[in-house]
Amino acid sequence: MSVHKIDFELPESVYPDEARAMVARLLDGQQADLVSTLMNYQARTGDPQVGFPRVQFGRYRRGFSMLGFAEGQQILADAAPIIHNALSNHYSVVIPVSTKTYSVQAEWRPYRLEYSIPRVVVQKKDRQKAWMNDRATGKPYLESLLVRSLRRQAEVVGVELPSAIDVAFLGADRDYGAKRKAEGGSLSAMGLINARFAVNLKLTGIWAIGYLLSKGHGHLDANMSLAGVPEDAEEINHALSE
């Protein structure tokens, strides 16, 4: 019941979506089956894997991080030396690497605790957009998405959740366009900045909520959020520019 995190400290800041594309490019032609699995594609067919991505890219103050959930920890451990070597060659410097393991838990509470997700993708389909635009359906939809996301990760990492989860969506600062259908095309995914919710669970560790998780959206550091640590303004500004 843990998440393993590897931070690659680079000479520049690289956002999670950019880091994923860069790693895929640098590892092109190397260890094809491993790289496909790392990128959440099926090794034999190249089709996207369905379900919770075991390896996800994340934010780091100077560089980027990678997160391994469940068997993703072993995938990440196998791939890390190859990624490290490729990055060192690319930047022509030795790349410092640090690792950390987060315990992931969810304990029932007789009251609700509040959390904030810096940026989370909540809509990928047109019918979801219609729900979001209707005050009567938007809040229940978001609350259902939060519960489904918590249960999805809990099943993967082996955390038992109570049968009844009491969650309330409390609002967000603003929305942002997370993905376009084509260059200059219409938006195909929408996210929320600083989405706040309350739930009758004491969450610890890193939780991944919503969609486009492998590209760094939806990561909630529950320990930091519960302590009221301010969110990363630079990361939020990047999301708004997407």
Side-chain angles (χ1 to χ4, degrees), residues 122-135:
V122 296
Q123 174 260 316
K124 289 180 63 180
K125 299 178 181 179
D126 289 340
R127 67 173 182 272
Q128 296 168 335
K129 184 176 182 180
W131 295 336
M132 292 281 293
N133 288 336
D134 188 329
R135 184 181 297 273

Side-chain angles (χ1 to χ4, degrees), residues 111-126:
Y111 44 80
R112 294 187 300 203
L113 297 169
E114 296 183 10
Y115 302 88
S116 178
I117 313 170
R119 61 172 192 161
V120 53
V121 175
V122 296
Q123 174 260 316
K124 289 180 63 180
K125 299 178 181 179
D126 289 340

Side-chain angles (χ1 to χ4, degrees), residues 41-238:
Y41 287 97
Q42 297 181 31
R44 295 291 181 258
T45 65
D47 296 328
Q49 293 187 26
V50 178
F52 186 85
R54 271 46 171 184
V55 176
Q56 303 175 19
F57 284 76
R59 184 80 170 92
Y60 184 58
R61 63 180 181 274
R62 190 166 178 82
F64 66 92
S65 66
M66 297 183 71
L67 306 169
F69 298 79
E71 63 266 31
Q73 297 184 55
Q74 185 58 63
I75 297 168
L76 189 53
D78 290 342
I82 305 170
I83 297 171
H84 182 248
N85 183 62
L87 290 171
S88 296
N89 290 334
H90 176 69
Y91 286 101
S92 300
V93 296
V94 176
I95 302 299
V97 176
S98 58
T99 63
K100 185 175 181 179
T101 299
Y102 292 81
S103 175
V104 177
Q105 300 288 341
E107 300 176 354
W108 178 84
R109 291 291 188 268
Y111 44 80
R112 294 187 300 203
L113 297 169
E114 296 183 10
Y115 302 88
S116 178
I117 313 170
R119 61 172 192 161
V120 53
V121 175
V122 296
Q123 174 260 316
K124 289 180 63 180
K125 299 178 181 179
D126 289 340
R127 67 173 182 272
Q128 296 168 335
K129 184 176 182 180
W131 295 336
M132 292 281 293
N133 288 336
D134 188 329
R135 184 181 297 273
T137 57
K139 187 172 183 288
Y141 163 70
L142 290 171
E143 291 170 348
S144 175
L145 176 62
L146 286 163
V147 173
R148 293 198 311 272
S149 297
L150 292 172
R151 291 199 182 282
R152 180 175 57 173
Q153 178 173 329
E155 182 178 0
V156 168
V157 301
V159 170
E160 184 175 351
L161 296 180
S163 57
I165 296 178
D166 180 18
V167 63
F169 176 70
L170 304 177
D173 289 354
R174 65 196 78 119
D175 59 31
Y176 70 98
K179 185 180 180 181
R180 295 187 179 275
K181 294 180 180 179
E183 188 67 29
S186 61
L187 291 172
S188 63
M190 187 192 79
L192 298 176
I193 295 293
N194 285 335
R196 297 176 295 279
F197 68 98
V199 64
N200 61 331
L201 296 172
K202 169 66 179 300
L203 301 173
T204 58
I206 296 177
W207 291 80
I209 311 295
Y211 304 108
L212 300 186
L213 302 179
S214 62
K215 294 185 177 182
H217 299 268
H219 289 161
L220 165 66
D221 186 330
N223 302 5
M224 300 288 277
S225 180
L226 196 57
V229 176
E231 308 297 356
D232 191 328
E234 184 181 2
E235 172 71 1
I236 291 172
N237 288 335
H238 173 68

